[in-house]
Amino acid sequence: MKYTVMKAAAAALILPAAMAADGPMVPDYEVHLLMDPTVVLGSDFKLTPTVLSTFAMPTTVTKINVQYLDTVAQDLHVNGWSCRIRNIENDSGFDLTYKWRLPVNNGDINGALNTAFSDGWNSGQGNYDAQIDWLYASQTLSIQRDYTASSKGYSGTDDPNEKDSRSMLESNAPGMFDDWVSDGWGTGMLKNAVIYGPVLTKRSTGTWNGVELDIEVWPIENSSGTGIEYLVEASFKTSDEDSASSGRDQLITLLQNEGWFLAESVSKEDLVMENYHPTS
Ligand SMILES: *[C@@H]1O[C@H](CO)[C@@H](O)[C@H](O)[C@H]1NC(C)=O
Ligand SMILES: *[C@@H]1O[C@H](CO)[C@@H](O)[C@H](O)[C@H]1NC(C)=O
């Protein structure tokens, strides 16, 4: 008994930082708005010169090859998780992301952060980033952790094959992901995971309203797998809710005035998970 008390006292002495940090996570904000592909893309499926000049964008793009790993039944997705692998042009290695998502109900961001806190997400988890993804008509809390894995044996913007994708995601799996449903759940699911995608996306980077603004073009298979549907998304990041909110209003107005706006709230990842139907 005495020993336990002393141990607890010692722990309290050496862990003040961790204890002080033990509260809900503090998010930053990313606004995502869709643009009408039939208007903003030319016949070559590239952004038109008017769109590029409006956002001070060069004609050069960064290619990013994106794929998600999940079971055929989408067990990870159903439980709020996603495992993403990206090959970003000219970056070394593959970029691995483990992301957990929670819908924000009726704009109640604090409510979502508190729910996440009771699920084990706290501000002391410095390896994770919390973000509010703010779409046209919905908000989501995303908590993610990134790793880099070797791309030895692969070239250009190729993404890893199924076997290598499973193994690099299994070997890097963080505890919050692996033990989410039960101990070893995450890596267990990854053993049977299949590839959703890949989607070779193109990102243009410019400036608007004093912040960096990105436009990504995603050629995603349509649901019958017989054609491509283009998703075009403009996004910017900011650290506080007020500037996210006012910037979002201004960007919607600009896109509407130009006739470029698509008043929908489709997430890129959701569309990939919906339209691709891998079986093995
Ligand atoms: C990547 O590197 C190649 C070769 O140096 C270059 O032509 C291309 O513009 C680079 N792409 C980006 C997005 O930096
Ligand atoms: C998919 O695209 C093809 C080719 O454009 C088209 O014929 C087909 O109807 C589309 N399917 C769906 C479900 O949109």
Side-chain angles (χ1 to χ4, degrees):
M1 185 63 183
K2 201 168 186 177
Y3 173 73
T4 310
V5 169
M6 282 175 65
K7 210 170 106 180
L13 281 177
I14 57 173
L15 288 172
M19 289 176 72
D22 192 15
M25 294 186 84
V26 178
D28 58 15
Y29 294 78
E30 184 165 6
V31 171
H32 306 261
L33 296 169
L34 293 178
M35 299 171 80
D36 184 347
T38 65
V39 182
V40 300
L41 299 180
S43 53
D44 54 3
F45 301 108
K46 291 179 176 167
L47 294 171
T48 64
T50 318
V51 174
L52 294 179
S53 65
T54 300
F55 298 108
M57 288 171 166
T59 51
T60 50
V61 296
T62 303
K63 293 184 187 129
I64 304 173
N65 205 9
V66 184
Q67 65 186 20
Y68 301 91
L69 270 278
D70 205 333
T71 62
V72 169
Q74 303 194 358
D75 290 86
L76 303 182
H77 195 66
V78 166
N79 284 283
W81 281 94
S82 81
C83 288
R84 181 183 69 189
I85 300 180
R86 295 189 299 182
N87 185 338
I88 302 174
E89 183 179 5
N90 298 350
D91 271 14
S92 62
F94 295 121
D95 178 31
L96 311 184
T97 302
Y98 302 81
K99 189 182 290 199
W100 182 78
R101 281 205 179 84
L102 183 70
V104 172
N105 295 318
N106 304 315
D108 185 9
I109 292 171
N110 282 332
L113 292 166
N114 286 329
T115 301
F117 182 58
S118 64
D119 281 340
W121 296 109
N122 65 70
S123 53
Q125 281 155 321
N127 294 320
Y128 289 88
D129 290 318
Q131 178 169 293
I132 300 297
D133 290 313
W134 196 339
L135 281 62
Y136 175 57
S138 66
Q139 292 176 320
T140 306
L141 168 62
S142 303
I143 300 175
Q144 75 173 59
R145 183 162 181 174
D146 294 312
Y147 296 84
T148 302
S150 166
S151 56
K152 197 160 176 280
Y154 289 91
S155 62
T157 51
D158 287 350
D159 270 344
N161 63 29
E162 184 180 276
K163 178 171 166 287
D164 289 350
S165 297
R166 287 175 177 174
S167 114
M168 61 184 72
L169 285 166
E170 275 181 57
S171 58
N172 286 284
M176 284 297 281
F177 163 72
D178 197 19
D179 300 335
W180 188 252
V181 171
S182 54
D183 284 359
W185 167 80
T187 47
M189 291 298 149
L190 286 171
K191 287 192 200 314
N192 297 308
V194 292
I195 292 171
Y196 292 78
V199 180
L200 184 58
T201 72
K202 290 177 182 163
R203 178 193 286 161
S204 295
T205 301
T207 314
W208 169 76
N209 222 5
V211 295
E212 178 182 317
L213 184 126
D214 291 335
I215 299 180
E216 291 189 3
V217 178
W218 285 45
I220 298 175
E221 268 184 15
N222 70 12
S223 57
S224 54
T226 54
I228 297 294
E229 83 185 73
Y230 285 83
L231 186 149
V232 183
E233 188 201 80
S235 65
F236 69 89
K237 290 183 189 174
T238 172
S239 58
D240 71 286
E241 189 178 354
D242 287 347
S243 47
S245 177
S246 60
R248 177 179 169 279
D249 289 346
Q250 289 169 47
L251 186 56
I252 289 175
T253 302
L254 169 74
L255 297 180
Q256 280 172 338
N257 288 344
E258 298 287 349
W260 296 340
F261 191 52
L262 206 55
E264 291 173 11
S265 300
V266 180
S267 98
K268 307 179 293 286
E269 178 186 329
D270 285 350
L271 191 60
V272 172
M273 296 307 290
E274 223 170 278
N275 284 6
Y276 288 73
H277 310 283
T279 52
S280 68

